[in-house]
Amino acid sequence: MLMKSGCALRKPRLGICRAFQNAAPSTSCLLGAPKRRAYADAAGLSRDVFHSQLEDPNAGAILASMQTASSIPQTLTEKIVQRYSIGLAKDKRIQAGDFVTISPHRCMTHDNSWPVALKFMSMGATKIHDPKQAVMTLDHDVQNKSETNLAKYRQIEAFARQQGVDFYPAGHGIGHQIMIEEGYAWPGSLAVASDSHSNMYGGVACLGTPVVRTDAASIWATGRTWWQVPPIAKVTLTGILPKGVTGKDVIVALCGLFNQDEVLNHALEFTGSDLTMRSLSVDDRLAIANMTTEWGALSGLFPLDAVLAAWLRSKATEVALLGPRPTTGRPSSFSHAALDQLLASPVAADKGAKYAKSLFLDLSSLAPHVSGPNSVKRVTPVSQLEAQSIQIDKAYLVSCTNSRASDLAAAARVFKEAADGSSTGAVPRIADSVQFYIAAASQAEQQAAEASGDWQVLLAAGAQPLPAGCGPCIGLGTGLLEAGEVGISASNRNFQGRMGSREAQAYLASPEVVAASALRGIISGPGWYEKPAGVNDVHRGTGDGIKEDERMLTVEEALEKIIAQADQIVSEAEQAMPLAAADPPDRVTDVLPGFPERIEGEIIFCDSDNINTDGIYPGKYTYQDHVTRAQMAEVCMSNYDPQFSSLARNGDILVAGFNFGCGSSREQAATALLAKEIPLVVAGSFGNIFARNSINNALMGVELPRLVHRLRDAFSPRGSQLTSSGESLDPVAPGLSTEEKKKVLTRRTGWRLTWDVRRSRVQVTEGPGGRSWSQRVGELPLNVQEIIARGGLEQWVKGELLARAGGEASG
């Protein structure tokens, strides 16, 4: 459970949460109506949970009661969540910040289906609540032909058949692509998956968002789980894509140009003029939505517009002519009758809907870009990297991001054009020093590429085919990067060590840049880009990108603009307030009998921002289901720092930088820390998916930016790095010399931290004889204590199922 420090930079606002005040009421909705708990305020205390968490539906209900339901405009995200929320009060209109109980249209699991099944059965459940809600695919470790892995795959298939769940075997394709091409991710619906790239469904106007294994087990058992509607950001796209620029370039640029966590833990809604949106194909949108995960967002929605409608019609026509694929025997989702119904009343954001923030990107100003090395936050135009002649060892055209038939066609075109320009007309071979790996996103996409001849062109060029699946993208199977190697990939994630050795360098780019790089042996583009006249830099920023002298406003829009400007002035004034009142008086919180009233230990400091789940728990262990607790402890944080295991001691308090736990949805990121006997994690901020895993697995955490700054002042060569939150920075205490402040990934500090749970206060002592200071943090309410005391959500749901069964028996 993660709590946020108190702060008086802003006055309390309706809809701002106090330290997960309502996390447990939302879980209690799993089996019935929400159980409201008393809400008490503390003057001057802002109670954000973490970056992502907005507050209390009780407070939201007060605001809602002051307005008629029809007077509250909703975003597209809010409208879809409204459709799939259950147990809502009459006339309740979902808004960002609300905790809701959701019953998603679909829930996809992949190689982690058996661990989810074990959780499901440990809850006492025997029959999946709604077999049509679940989809199971095998896609991650499909190259692994060991008997252990094959036995697990057989278990998953047998379980799916027994439960009557749609099942797709290894080699059929990546689960996210199957969700798209089989119509499970339906426009206007809510679909979740136990994988972080479920954001991809937003490319077809389906609200896709990740859940973790325990959530998936809960959905299997009850049909529902809890969710908090995140803050929602609007991303306005203007202009049109120039020739030679792709959807992959769009999202690579967004990740690198807006790289200060602007959209961290937000739901995104992409919008633009008809002309702009027509320049983005559905495949472009899928790539963009897919990598909104790497941008830090929880979802990435595109609208149901003419482009998507035409794509849907083509799918329905294909089914009408050829019939559905016989994989599951289920009727196809794509029919013209279904589309007639969908398009008769398409869901869209209301006029005047409120967004937490607005960003824009002018597509006309965009050139092909490359991400890396080893970070999506570092991007460079291809032209600049070409001039550096960066040699590569491996190239990859794999993953759910960019391995559809259109991507394979773009890569094949590079070699076709080179063949056309040669004297022999033969398909040229890739550079002698390069290994080039290709894997289609699905069997259907590979068949389409084979029918067009593109697959054969890539093979003739020297590409090595892999089965449709995740493979190298997740760091499994053939072709991983070795120490000292450089790779370029059309996949979505280039975290250090994810695709192989920590000592390798990984870049991300579009399929055509990957192919051109494989052909030449250095990072380079195919030469297709045509730079528009007058473009010198990428035009992007806050707002909608429309010049004020070109803007035409209605009276209503003008009024909204004035209100927004006033809100901004007030917000800036609040943030400029002095920090003297930043620590309100204590308020005692009840503590369950047996629950620890204090947690204390020495601080071990991991001085990095954006420590991802690959760093916390390496991907190569994620799908090994029989790793012992001792083994988990041994490899904990090893992909971030191989020395962590030898430095950390039982009972240490782990403190890290900002956006801790970003990346994939693996629950082991939380359970490995528990295995290492880390009782508490403190960070400047947490990634939402890690926060969710912590709640579900009974790992406690606190957001305390002030502590991160103090540690960096004392130990880091760069000193403290302020974040946009503007948190308090006290005068710098005497620290180490410059020589002593050399970059250390993991440091035993000698500082001690004590969290007084009853008083909701953290006290820090800065080393033996050092200064001590304390700060209020969010409360840990009784219902959250109950989940932690039971050992997490899995055991909590088990208890609730048993209680319900007992009640039904006695009745």
Side-chain angles (χ1 to χ4, degrees):
M1 178 59 229
L2 306 175
M3 317 299 289
K4 184 156 183 139
S5 60
C7 173
L9 289 174
R10 300 177 298 277
K11 62 185 179 183
R13 295 176 291 168
L14 284 175
I16 300 298
C17 184
R18 170 172 301 194
F20 230 72
Q21 178 83 11
N22 282 305
S26 62
T27 56
S28 67
C29 297
L30 290 173
L31 302 172
K35 299 175 184 177
R36 303 298 187 193
R37 292 189 181 269
Y39 181 93
D41 199 359
L45 178 63
S46 171
R47 299 170 298 178
D48 301 21
V49 187
F50 9 80
H51 256 43
S52 60
Q53 307 278 331
L54 297 179
E55 166 125 335
D56 191 12
N58 291 326
I62 297 173
L63 179 61
S65 68
M66 298 164 60
Q67 309 178 62
T68 63
S70 61
S71 69
I72 305 176
Q74 290 179 304
T75 65
L76 178 56
T77 301
E78 291 164 341
K79 281 192 167 185
I80 294 175
V81 176
Q82 182 91 36
R83 288 183 172 186
Y84 290 90
S85 295
I86 58 178
L88 295 177
K90 183 181 179 181
D91 297 328
K92 167 64 181 174
R93 298 270 286 184
I94 294 296
Q95 300 283 281
D98 287 343
F99 284 96
V100 292
T101 299
I102 56 170
S103 181
H105 179 57
R106 303 290 185 189
C107 175
M108 188 272 283
T109 57
H110 46 63
D111 289 35
N112 57 24
S113 295
W114 188 243
V116 173
L118 294 176
K119 286 178 176 287
F120 167 81
M121 290 183 283
S122 75
M123 291 173 176
T126 58
K127 182 66 177 175
I128 288 182
H129 179 82
D130 180 5
K132 293 183 179 179
Q133 192 179 30
V135 181
M136 297 185 195
T137 67
L138 299 179
D139 60 6
H140 272 54
D141 203 13
V142 297
Q143 297 179 45
N144 184 354
K145 303 302 182 182
S146 70
E147 180 54 32
T148 299
N149 193 56
L150 294 177
K152 179 175 75 171
Y153 278 8
R154 289 193 296 268
Q155 285 178 313
I156 294 172
E157 181 173 8
F159 182 80
R161 303 298 185 201
Q162 176 192 4
Q163 296 287 338
V165 170
D166 287 355
F167 171 79
Y168 295 84
H172 191 91
I174 301 174
H176 299 307
Q177 178 63 26
I178 290 171
M179 292 288 285
I180 299 294
E181 67 187 32
E182 296 290 344
Y184 294 113
W186 192 250
S189 72
L190 169 63
V192 301
S194 56
D195 187 278
S196 60
H197 286 107
S198 46
N199 293 28
M200 179 171 130
Y201 313 151
V204 291
C206 168
L207 179 57
T209 195
V211 295
V212 297
R213 295 178 181 185
T214 305
D215 295 316
S218 174
I219 293 170
W220 286 5
T222 68
R224 60 192 78 173
T225 191
W226 67 272
W227 202 54
Q228 187 185 27
V229 186
I232 303 164
K234 180 194 288 186
V235 181
T236 301
L237 304 174
T238 64
I240 59 173
L241 281 181
K243 184 178 179 180
V245 182
T246 70
K248 183 61 165 283
D249 295 307
V250 173
I251 189 59
V252 164
L254 287 170
C255 289
L257 299 177
F258 294 99
N259 61 4
Q260 300 300 310
D261 295 339
E262 288 90 342
V263 299
L264 179 64
N265 298 329
H266 283 62
L268 305 184
E269 294 184 12
F270 291 94
T271 187
S273 69
D274 289 343
L275 182 63
T276 295
M277 301 309 279
R278 280 201 296 271
S279 74
L280 292 170
S281 69
V282 169
D283 282 1
D284 282 328
R285 299 175 187 201
L286 291 171
I288 294 169
N290 181 291
M291 276 191 65
T292 58
T293 301
E294 280 64 45
W295 199 13
L298 297 177
S299 62
L301 264 175
F302 278 84
L304 175 51
D305 61 1
V307 173
L308 178 55
W311 182 87
L312 293 166
R313 288 294 186 188
S314 69
K315 298 285 286 185
T317 299
E318 177 186 331
V319 171
L321 293 174
L322 304 177
R325 285 186 287 271
T327 308
T328 63
R330 63 184 284 270
S332 174
S333 300
F334 298 105
S335 71
H336 288 292
L339 295 182
D340 289 341
Q341 183 177 359
L342 173 70
L343 299 174
S345 54
V347 62
D350 290 329
K351 185 178 181 180
K354 303 300 182 184
Y355 293 89
K357 60 182 62 176
S358 295
L359 305 173
F360 78 89
L361 175 69
D362 182 357
L363 302 184
S364 299
S365 68
L366 194 60
H369 277 68
V370 173
S371 166
N374 296 349
S375 173
V376 296
K377 292 192 172 188
R378 183 185 301 118
V379 298
T380 310
V382 172
S383 58
Q384 293 183 21
L385 293 182
E386 280 182 321
Q388 298 176 32
S389 297
I390 300 172
Q391 293 187 345
I392 66 166
D393 301 284
K394 291 186 172 82
Y396 305 89
L397 183 47
V398 300
S399 88
C400 53
T401 315
N402 280 118
S403 290
R404 284 169 281 279
S406 62
D407 302 310
L408 296 165
R413 180 186 163 195
V414 172
F415 294 97
K416 290 178 182 179
E417 291 188 352
D420 291 341
S422 70
S423 58
T424 64
V427 173
R429 300 279 297 182
I430 58 177
D432 292 339
S433 60
V434 175
Q435 293 177 320
F436 184 22
Y437 299 93
I438 61 172
S442 71
Q443 193 177 77
E445 295 295 320
Q446 181 173 330
Q447 290 169 351
E450 289 172 341
S452 66
D454 294 322
W455 188 260
Q456 292 87 331
V457 167
L458 295 173
L459 296 182
Q464 301 179 46
L466 300 174
C470 302
C473 179
I474 188 64
L476 296 172
T478 301
L480 303 187
L481 288 171
E482 298 179 7
E485 289 188 331
V486 176
I488 187 166
S489 176
S491 54
N492 45 39
R493 195 166 278 168
N494 60 347
F495 298 156
Q496 184 180 30
R498 176 178 172 86
M499 297 182 69
S501 171
R502 294 184 72 256
E503 306 306 319
Q505 292 190 333
Y507 293 85
L508 302 179
S510 66
E512 45 263 59
V513 169
V514 170
S517 302
L519 179 61
R520 295 186 58 194
I522 62 172
I523 295 178
S524 57
W528 300 344
Y529 173 55
E530 295 182 1
K531 181 179 177 180
V535 171
N536 296 312
D537 196 7
V538 180
H539 184 215
R540 80 278 187 185
T542 58
D544 59 13
I546 301 175
K547 297 178 181 179
E548 291 302 315
D549 57 357
E550 298 177 358
R551 189 186 304 277
M552 297 182 65
L553 299 178
T554 65
V555 173
E556 180 185 25
E557 290 169 337
L559 180 59
E560 289 177 358
K561 181 179 178 182
I562 292 171
I563 293 173
Q565 290 173 338
D567 286 344
Q568 180 66 24
I569 292 171
V570 171
S571 177
E572 290 175 353
E574 290 172 345
Q575 292 185 30
M577 290 173 61
L579 299 169
D583 205 15
D586 292 351
R587 186 160 63 86
V588 175
T589 301
D590 291 335
V591 177
L592 287 175
F595 194 91
E597 294 192 12
R598 298 165 67 88
I599 298 173
E600 58 183 316
E602 182 179 344
I603 292 173
I604 186 167
F605 184 35
C606 292
D607 185 15
S608 293
D609 296 334
N610 305 300
I611 296 177
N612 56 71
T613 51
D614 281 280
I616 301 169
Y617 192 78
K620 61 185 177 182
Y621 302 108
T622 302
Y623 299 102
Q624 297 180 22
D625 297 332
H626 302 291
V627 178
T628 66
R629 183 178 177 89
Q631 289 170 328
M632 292 184 74
E634 184 66 24
V635 302
C636 178
M637 301 292 291
S638 62
N639 216 14
Y640 162 72
D641 180 6
Q643 303 304 314
F644 178 87
S645 181
S646 61
L647 290 169
R649 303 169 187 164
N650 291 358
D652 280 345
I653 307 297
L654 173 61
V655 180
F658 292 82
N659 196 20
F660 181 81
C662 57
S664 75
S665 61
R666 66 194 63 165
E667 286 197 328
Q668 296 98 324
T671 57
L673 289 166
L674 289 168
K676 192 61 178 172
E677 303 292 343
I678 302 290
L680 175 66
V681 179
V682 180
S685 61
F686 291 93
N688 180 276
I689 199 70
F690 180 85
R692 190 174 188 95
N693 269 325
S694 296
I695 296 163
N696 287 350
N697 289 282
L699 174 66
M700 292 186 284
V702 172
E703 282 191 349
L704 196 59
R706 177 183 176 189
L707 175 57
V708 176
H709 294 316
R710 296 290 299 169
L711 286 164
R712 285 178 171 169
D713 287 337
F715 296 108
S716 174
R718 60 188 171 180
S720 178
Q721 292 188 343
L722 293 177
T723 64
S724 58
S725 64
E727 286 280 355
S728 171
L729 291 181
D730 295 330
V732 179
L736 305 179
S737 67
T738 301
E739 179 63 23
E740 292 172 312
K741 286 186 177 182
K742 290 180 178 179
K743 175 66 175 179
V744 176
L745 292 176
T746 306
R747 182 190 297 273
R748 299 203 64 82
T749 63
W751 294 21
R752 295 194 64 81
L753 180 146
T754 301
W755 180 19
D756 187 330
V757 177
R758 183 177 294 279
R759 298 187 179 279
S760 303
R761 180 171 290 276
V762 165
Q763 179 169 326
V764 175
T765 301
E766 298 181 354
R771 61 168 294 186
S772 293
W773 53 271
S774 68
Q775 185 165 339
R776 280 271 289 166
V777 296
E779 299 169 16
L780 193 66
L782 291 175
N783 38 23
V784 176
Q785 294 178 36
E786 181 182 1
I787 291 176
I788 295 172
R790 288 198 186 186
L793 184 63
E794 178 182 340
Q795 295 303 314
W796 187 92
V797 172
K798 179 180 180 178
E800 293 297 307
L801 286 172
L802 290 172
R804 184 175 69 175
E808 291 173 351
S810 63

